[in-house]
Amino acid sequence: MEDNILQQIDLYLKTLYPINRSITGKGNEKTLKILQEICPLKIKSISSGTSVFDWTIPPEWNVKKALITDLDGNVIVDFKNLNIHLVNYSTPIDKIMSFDELDKHLFYLKEKPEAIPYRTSYYKRNWGFCLSYNQYKKIDKSKKYHVCINSTLDDDGKMVYGELYKKGKSKKEIIISSYICHPSLANDNLSGLLLSCFLFKTLSQIDTYYSYRLLLVPETIGPIAWLHQNSTKNIKGGLVISCVAGPGPLGYKKTYLGDHKIDKAIKYALNKEEYIEYKFEPIGSDERQYSSPAFRIPIGTITKSKYYEYDEYHTSLDNLEFISSVNLLKSLTIYIDTIFYLEKNQKYKRKFNQCEFMLSKLDKIYPDTGGTISQPSLIKDHTSHTYTPKSNGNILDCIAWLSFGCDGKNSLFDIQEMSGLSIDDLIYSLELLQENKLIL
Ligand code: ZN
């Protein structure tokens, strides 16, 4: 089963990587249609020109071709070989010009001579090409060049995004948001898009307490538009999924509150891993919009090779060789575990509140406790939740704390914090008590 999911991830990475994505355009729609094979996303849109808070939905950008040739027809740079060669949102042009004029529109990285940078110009009309410094050095500076960008910026166009709602027992909602606007860049953020869809596929197979909403939106303008058009009154927290399949360390960026249940669930999920903890700052991804003063939604992020933290970031070196499906699956497991803990964090009540339970009546619990029941896994095939407690003593401690704490007011996380016991032992014991109908 694990091999099967790795194969699926690899296949989708290869299919989706070459597509030219941006904040608008046909590439985004094509990407969403392919992702619909994983989970039944609704493809929604908002018209170009619509005002959303301080912003306006830009014209829809599409590209037919974009290349630089010399006057003998030799190709210098061609968008069709790699879409990040073209500055995203480049305006159309068809002109012969001197190298000096062209040079003002060329972007390269002297310090990383083999890398092609990724550049955008969404809100300032301009055009440009990105190339490696090695390529740049080879250009004959005495020649003239023909620049041809056949692109359109359509004021009657639209911005598309993907949305999927999964109803839980409660109307309380958790949003899972990832961004669709990056073209051929693998870790940032094809990995996040794909992980979000597999996470939702997993969620669709189980009954949940929370309702969940998946949003696959262009970064920044996407959440701004969504927040403008929709109510957030049921949203209690969220996860922004970005950069999840690199070879670097696992990371966790805190919510703006720092100790919200989202933070706690992530820490439980990362408990057995080495990871870097990043403080909240209003710099980064779409938590900037969701956590702004009008909404204040606590948003956490789990990463593997976090944006800004790897050399390949926003260059052609962030490609399919840089990431792996094994890394993506690792991050997926941690996101699934995060949701597992979040779901378990209820305020439980006892069947009756008076005194201790008489455990000796229950042969599964006392005195023969261990190993009789294994914790059911949230998702059978790719989660670490097949848990066996280390000792009966731990379980008896857990039962004592659960008997004390489950008064309908304390959450499971509260009981974990007051007892200092392992969350997994507590969940194991909780399920034992629930099976015996002592905790409801
Ligand atoms: Zn980025």
Side-chain angles (χ1 to χ4, degrees):
M1 184 63 193
E2 188 157 293
D3 284 352
N4 185 15
I5 188 166
L6 287 172
Q7 276 172 8
Q8 281 183 45
I9 293 169
D10 275 326
L11 186 66
Y12 281 111
L13 287 172
K14 283 197 191 93
T15 309
L16 293 165
Y17 179 74
I19 299 173
N20 186 45
R21 284 170 288 269
S22 179
I23 50 178
T24 63
K26 302 273 177 277
N28 291 18
E29 207 163 338
K30 189 173 172 186
T31 300
L32 291 169
K33 281 189 175 150
I34 293 168
L35 292 172
Q36 280 178 328
E37 295 169 13
I38 306 171
C39 62
L41 287 166
K42 291 205 163 54
I43 299 177
K44 298 189 171 181
S45 68
I46 177 165
S47 302
S48 298
T50 308
S51 291
V52 288
F53 302 123
D54 206 24
W55 297 62
T56 304
I57 306 299
E60 181 179 329
W61 183 65
N62 285 293
V63 184
K64 286 215 175 77
K65 68 172 187 174
L67 73 170
I68 307 170
T69 50
D70 65 17
L71 299 191
D72 299 322
N74 298 309
V75 175
I76 311 299
V77 183
D78 194 341
F79 164 81
K80 87 172 179 224
N81 296 332
L82 183 68
N83 55 43
I84 67 168
H85 273 310
L86 182 65
V87 170
N88 208 293
Y89 255 71
S90 280
T91 49
I93 185 169
D94 188 359
K95 191 180 169 189
I96 291 167
M97 63 185 73
S98 67
F99 175 78
D100 285 348
E101 194 183 346
L102 173 63
D103 198 19
K104 292 176 205 142
H105 297 270
L106 298 181
F107 299 86
Y108 49 85
L109 299 165
K110 255 186 181 167
E111 65 282 10
K112 273 183 221 135
E114 76 285 16
I116 302 158
Y118 161 59
R119 294 285 180 270
T120 65
S121 190
Y122 299 138
Y123 299 103
K124 187 168 173 254
R125 292 284 160 261
N126 200 353
W127 62 268
F129 284 88
C130 303
L131 68 175
S132 71
Y133 186 57
N134 290 338
Q135 274 177 301
Y136 177 81
K137 279 190 296 189
K138 281 189 210 145
I139 301 177
D140 184 339
K141 275 66 176 175
S142 64
K143 279 187 173 177
K144 285 189 172 231
Y145 291 94
H146 181 192
V147 175
C148 173
I149 302 176
N150 184 351
S151 66
T152 50
L153 286 152
D154 183 0
D155 288 325
D156 296 322
K158 61 187 178 179
M159 179 180 87
V160 296
Y161 62 95
E163 183 168 352
L164 181 56
Y165 181 72
K166 182 216 158 33
K167 199 170 177 308
K169 284 191 196 81
S170 165
K171 277 188 183 157
K172 290 180 192 167
E173 195 175 309
I174 303 291
I175 45 169
I176 292 170
S177 181
S178 191
Y179 50 91
I180 192 180
C181 52
H182 286 40
S184 291
L185 296 163
N187 197 41
D188 178 26
N189 187 39
L190 180 52
S191 68
L193 275 185
L194 213 48
L195 187 147
S196 307
C197 291
F198 278 105
L199 181 59
F200 240 73
K201 182 181 181 177
T202 306
L203 281 173
S204 70
Q205 294 160 0
I206 52 167
D207 291 330
T208 56
Y209 170 77
Y210 289 105
S211 296
Y212 291 85
R213 188 180 301 276
L214 175 61
L215 293 172
L216 301 182
V217 283
E219 202 171 19
T220 309
I221 187 74
I224 291 171
W226 192 88
L227 289 163
H228 184 266
Q229 312 289 79
N230 293 279
S231 164
T232 57
K233 78 175 193 313
N234 292 326
I235 301 176
K236 301 300 168 198
L239 298 161
V240 162
I241 301 184
S242 160
C243 299
V244 289
L250 286 162
Y252 143 56
K253 182 181 172 185
K254 291 181 170 194
T255 73
Y256 78 91
L257 292 170
D259 63 349
H260 185 258
K261 58 190 165 200
I262 296 265
D263 294 279
K264 292 174 184 176
I266 292 175
K267 282 191 187 174
Y268 292 135
L270 283 167
N271 186 30
K272 293 179 194 79
E273 308 289 340
E274 278 191 26
Y275 65 96
I276 300 173
E277 190 171 292
Y278 299 96
K279 67 177 181 5
F280 174 81
E281 48 185 6
I283 298 161
S285 190
D286 287 328
E287 62 278 11
R288 305 197 309 264
Q289 319 310 333
Y290 296 122
S291 303
S292 64
F295 309 109
R296 288 292 191 240
I297 302 168
I299 299 284
T301 293
I302 302 157
T303 54
K304 194 157 179 348
S305 294
K306 183 179 175 284
Y307 49 84
Y308 310 151
E309 305 279 323
Y310 59 99
D311 284 347
E312 295 79 0
Y313 173 72
H314 276 195
T315 75
S316 55
L317 304 180
D318 183 354
N319 55 32
L320 295 182
E321 277 79 62
F322 177 66
I323 64 164
S324 77
S325 50
V326 172
N327 290 339
L328 197 148
L329 184 58
K330 171 88 188 162
S331 300
L332 175 61
T333 306
I334 292 165
Y335 273 103
I336 289 172
D337 285 355
T338 298
I339 287 174
F340 170 82
Y341 289 118
L342 210 52
E343 287 283 323
K344 283 285 175 195
N345 184 41
Q346 305 299 326
K347 292 174 175 170
Y348 296 97
K349 282 186 183 154
R350 293 169 42 149
K351 186 180 175 190
F352 54 90
N353 279 332
Q354 292 81 2
C355 309
E356 292 187 317
F357 303 125
M358 190 179 181
L359 297 180
S360 57
K361 285 198 283 192
L362 310 168
D363 58 13
K364 276 184 179 172
I365 295 180
Y366 186 83
D368 177 24
T369 315
T372 48
I373 298 171
S374 65
Q375 187 178 317
S377 65
L378 179 65
I379 294 81
K380 286 190 182 63
D381 297 305
H382 39 82
T383 179
S384 56
H385 283 287
T386 41
Y387 182 76
T388 313
K390 285 189 190 69
S391 79
N392 290 358
N394 277 356
I395 298 312
L396 292 176
D397 284 351
C398 289
I399 289 172
W401 276 101
L402 289 165
S403 308
F404 170 76
C406 291
D407 57 1
K409 292 181 192 131
N410 293 311
S411 71
L412 182 69
F413 292 178
D414 292 335
I415 296 170
Q416 191 283 320
E417 284 169 11
M418 64 174 97
S419 69
L421 293 164
S422 133
I423 189 76
D424 291 320
D425 281 351
L426 281 166
I427 292 171
Y428 180 93
S429 310
L430 173 72
E431 289 176 353
L432 226 44
L433 292 171
Q434 285 175 320
E435 284 210 2
N436 284 286
K437 311 266 188 289
L438 292 173
I439 287 183
L440 310 174

